[in-house]
Amino acid sequence: MPATLIRHAQRDAALIENRRQLTDTLAEAITEAGFARHFVPRRWGGPAGDFTSLLHASANVAEACASTAWCATLYAAHARLAAYLPEQAQHDLWADTPDVRIAASVMPPQGAASIAQNGWTLSGTWSFASGIAHAEWVLLASWTLPAIPSEQPGKPREHRIFAVPRTHLTTIDTWHTLGLRGTGSNAVQADDVHVPAHRSMLLTDLIPPQAEGAPCHTVPFSMVAGLQFAAPILGAARGALQTWISSMSERQKTDGQEVPPKFQQVLARSSGEIQAAQLLLEQAAHHADDKAPTPLNIAENQRNTALAAEWCAAAVDRLFRAQGVRAQADGDPVQRHWRDITAAAGHATLGFERAATAHAQAVFVSRHR
């Protein structure tokens, strides 16, 4: 468990909300806890870690501060994406150390990329690059045409990802939000930034498993995309529950029978939903670590992560409302968790409607084979 990081997160949670980005101390603690290197291939000095341990580490940090856990988890997830880049690009990132913090803005494609000599030229703005202030590299995505359009007539545009040093970009102060304030998910701007050809790949490169490598690099992106966003939600929900219980203990008699029925039901429903969400996410992480990436397993992971996020949000919303006017006070910890979870659960990757569609298709297709 990243104990030192958790202590720093507890101490700095209010501070990073006001600053709207991580502190330098927290960013270094994230690195020291091993998040940045978690999925880095072993040949570059990383552990090529598993999804189950990342889920638990992220949730433990999020109990103290969801913004810190969000950035930490995404630094790990983005390194996993970078492991699909060409070998020379991986050398550029990790030749000196696997402890490289990588931010990203890859969904949806933004900005503009044009073919240039020996590579590409990027211009424009990319939004929502979490942890950008303390990142050393950034993954950006744009729509592009085939490299040689005349030889590939009629080929549709491509979703291409580029690896860019953060120092080549300008950060724009756009992150003024209700929740996850400390993530510093600002926009970045590129002004005719050259990217060598070897520092790019297509989004479709992330779909098939790598022919060789650790298990974490043989998992399709769609099977694990939701986990990186749901893990901090789970931890924040657990943190909200424990804070709510402590607050109510101060206001009620210690004998549970003396607690008003309204609060008994709030506690039972919310704690049950959070525990159920944890079981779903643990199953999703287990599938990513140990199961073959069949269409049904992928769809079940999408369903489980979306449903877990939905349950956590509902549970904490109930806790928040049960506190009454106390929850409206500045600095109330349940309110902070509620705001963070509300913001995080709105991420498009956790949309239940899309997950349900994918799941239904996988279920009925498998029955007709």
Side-chain angles (χ1 to χ4, degrees), residues 117-368:
Q117 185 175 9
N118 300 320
W120 304 83
T121 298
L122 299 185
S123 295
T125 302
W126 286 259
S127 300
F128 310 130
S130 297
I132 186 64
H134 294 91
E136 292 139 306
W137 284 78
V138 190
L139 301 179
L140 302 175
S142 296
W143 290 116
T144 62
L145 294 174
I148 309 177
S150 61
E151 296 182 5
Q152 300 171 295
K155 186 173 181 179
R157 61 184 184 172
E158 300 170 320
H159 187 155
R160 183 171 290 275
I161 298 171
F162 306 89
V164 185
R166 183 179 64 86
T167 53
H168 293 186
L169 304 166
T170 302
T171 301
I172 306 173
D173 183 10
T174 56
W175 191 243
H176 300 265
T177 59
L178 177 71
L180 293 177
R181 293 175 180 173
T183 63
S185 302
N186 288 304
V188 294
Q189 181 175 313
D191 296 310
D192 294 330
V193 172
H194 177 73
V195 180
H198 69 268
R199 290 186 191 160
S200 76
M201 62 180 172
L202 297 176
L203 181 69
T204 52
D205 294 336
L206 304 176
I207 297 175
Q210 292 187 359
E212 299 178 358
C216 68
H217 299 131
T218 63
V219 182
F221 176 66
S222 55
M223 191 171 186
V224 295
L227 267 173
Q228 64 196 24
F229 303 113
I233 292 174
L234 171 64
R238 294 193 324 218
L241 177 63
Q242 291 306 313
T243 301
W244 186 89
I245 291 172
S246 296
S247 176
M248 289 298 153
S249 295
E250 295 173 0
R251 297 164 58 184
Q252 308 293 337
K253 294 182 179 180
T254 56
D255 184 351
Q257 294 182 358
E258 298 297 324
V259 176
K262 170 187 174 181
F263 294 138
Q264 293 174 4
Q265 293 180 31
V266 167
L267 175 61
R269 288 184 183 278
S270 291
S271 62
E273 287 171 345
I274 293 168
Q275 289 180 11
Q278 178 165 327
L279 292 174
L280 284 182
L281 293 181
E282 288 174 343
Q283 183 185 71
H286 170 69
H287 283 184
D289 288 329
D290 299 314
K291 292 281 188 177
T294 65
L296 183 57
N297 286 339
I298 292 171
E300 286 181 345
N301 266 24
Q302 293 172 320
R303 176 203 64 192
N304 287 357
T305 53
L307 192 55
E310 196 172 274
W311 284 351
C312 286
V316 175
D317 186 67
R318 188 181 300 110
L319 296 173
F320 173 71
R321 287 185 284 110
Q323 278 205 145
V325 71
R326 290 181 177 224
Q328 306 299 323
D330 286 342
D332 179 79
V334 173
Q335 181 204 105
R336 173 168 58 84
H337 285 305
W338 174 79
R339 288 189 285 104
D340 289 340
I341 291 170
T342 300
H347 197 283
T349 304
L350 297 173
F352 188 75
E353 182 177 352
R354 184 169 62 178
T357 298
H359 180 254
Q361 290 174 342
V363 168
F364 290 112
V365 167
S366 67
R367 288 177 62 88
H368 287 85

